[in-house]
Amino acid sequence: MERELQAHIATYYAPGAWGDRVELAESAAHHATVKRASVGDAVGLSSGDGRLAVGVIAELSKKRLVIAVDPNTVERIAAPPRVELWAPVGDRDRMLLLAEKTVELGVSVWQPVVYARSRSVVPRGEGESFREKVRSRQVSALEQSGSAWLPESFAESPFGDRIAADAAGAGASRLLLDAQGPSIVELLPALHAPVRIALGPEGGLEEEERERFLQAGWQTVSLGANVLRFETAGIAAVAMVRSHLR
């Protein structure tokens, strides 16, 4: 019974094929030693592409963690209805928070977008090293939430390129967070997957950018009367859409 109670105290991200034994990254070994785990402890595994399993720690040192997987516990979890997020390039810490929390909420796609006012933010979240930090936060959120799915995560892209390519999203419900739009609550019953959500950076969208969204057929929606920081708005919108589509 004691081992059963311990089964879900830690879940580790383990991409790729699983055999009877799975060796995890050195960072996972460090995490396990910090948590004072020991050989024989039960842990969960998540592949990030729809598989979950339970195993036990077979080997553990400061740099090595090997899990013996019980094949009878492997589950294949269907992907949730697709929810894509166009996250504005902005303050690094706020972007990292948004990336983390939206993984917990089950976002399917993380697409950073560079808007006109993104360029005035310092320090802003962009570049290869920052993308690695985002992915690390997303993996941590996956492990914390016990999810089977890690979102597709893309490099930042200029707004002009994104909106020009948006025709590929035909058939999606496309929502632009905008204080001038109707309440998102009014639109939830009509939503269907996939859903694409966009929000502006600090300072908001330029009027030209807003007009291009509207010309492309995006629906403006409001989250309420208060002006929200972009990370708050993104978390709230994903939570509301996900709760409707689940």
Side-chain angles (χ1 to χ4, degrees):
M1 178 61 68
E2 183 179 356
R3 289 297 184 206
E4 183 178 347
L5 290 173
Q6 293 178 353
H8 296 96
I9 63 170
T11 296
Y12 293 103
Y13 175 52
W18 294 344
D20 294 337
R21 293 164 68 89
V22 176
E23 182 168 355
L24 302 182
E26 184 177 324
S27 58
H30 174 73
H31 178 267
T33 55
V34 168
K35 290 183 68 69
R36 298 184 179 180
S38 59
V39 170
D41 284 347
V43 297
L45 293 180
S46 172
S47 65
D49 63 1
R51 289 170 291 137
L52 295 175
V54 176
V56 297
I57 297 176
E59 298 180 39
L60 176 61
S61 66
K62 290 183 178 180
K63 295 186 177 182
R64 180 175 169 84
L65 175 60
V66 178
I67 308 299
V69 180
D70 180 350
N72 294 320
T73 69
V74 177
E75 298 180 79
R76 294 190 175 273
I77 310 299
R82 190 175 179 87
V83 176
E84 305 176 12
L85 180 64
W86 285 17
V89 169
D91 177 82
R92 291 179 181 178
D93 290 340
R94 293 178 185 176
M95 287 185 71
L96 289 171
L97 177 63
L98 179 59
E100 175 184 316
K101 297 307 178 184
T102 52
V103 169
E104 292 178 27
L105 292 166
V107 76
S108 309
V109 173
W110 168 267
Q111 174 61 72
V113 179
V114 183
Y115 294 100
R117 290 177 178 164
S118 294
R119 295 300 183 187
S120 64
V121 179
V122 179
R124 59 181 173 268
E126 60 183 354
E128 183 61 33
S129 62
F130 181 75
R131 291 195 290 274
E132 291 175 0
K133 290 180 180 179
V134 167
R135 202 53 170 175
S136 178
R137 283 289 189 97
Q138 290 175 330
V139 167
S140 294
L142 175 90
E143 294 175 333
Q144 184 278 326
S145 63
S147 173
W149 289 93
L150 194 63
E152 298 176 67
S153 190
F154 296 99
E156 63 272 7
S157 176
F159 168 70
D161 293 348
R162 282 296 90 217
I163 202 69
D166 189 51
S173 296
R174 294 175 294 171
L175 306 179
L176 173 63
L177 301 190
D178 188 315
Q180 300 177 42
S183 170
I184 191 173
V185 175
E186 298 175 12
L187 275 73
L188 286 177
L191 288 184
H192 58 82
V195 176
R196 184 170 292 165
I197 302 168
L199 55 149
E202 290 107 315
L205 297 171
E206 295 280 1
E207 186 58 31
E208 181 182 355
E209 293 168 335
R210 183 176 182 276
E211 285 301 316
R212 290 192 68 181
F213 270 116
L214 298 180
Q215 291 169 7
W218 286 66
Q219 169 67 58
T220 58
V221 293
S222 171
L223 295 174
N226 293 347
V227 177
L228 304 178
R229 287 182 168 179
F230 75 79
E231 71 276 19
T232 307
I235 293 167
V238 171
M240 296 179 74
V241 169
R242 177 57 77 208
S243 67
H244 171 72
L245 293 177
R246 65 179 181 179

